[in-house]
Amino acid sequence: MNPFVAYEDFWRRGLDFRGRSSRAEYWWVVLINLVLALLFNLGERVSPAVGIVAIVYALAALVPNIALGVRR
């Protein structure tokens, strides 16, 4: 599975708690979220406003992450 397709499906199926997600879909999303967290952490050292963006992203991705975990 393509990482971009997996990440798009992560957001598209963010409220879907039924069915299954493939192993590749799950791990691509975990990897992309890890990279984003590292980038947010580095960006926060440059500008505190990046920390606010990171918090907004984390809150927006909370339910889709739970849904992905349930589907996996």
Side-chain angles (χ1 to χ4, degrees), residues 28-68:
W28 277 122
V29 171
V30 168
L31 180 64
I32 290 170
N33 281 335
L34 177 66
V35 169
L36 286 174
L38 291 172
L39 290 174
F40 283 139
N41 191 9
L42 291 174
E44 191 174 8
R45 295 176 187 205
V46 176
S47 172
V50 176
I52 296 169
V53 173
I55 290 170
V56 169
Y57 174 78
L59 290 174
L62 181 64
V63 174
N65 273 316
I66 293 170
L68 180 65

Side-chain angles (χ1 to χ4, degrees), residues 15-27:
L15 297 174
D16 182 15
F17 288 86
R18 292 175 282 123
R20 299 280 292 172
S21 290
S22 69
R23 187 178 300 141
E25 179 182 357
Y26 176 80
W27 284 112

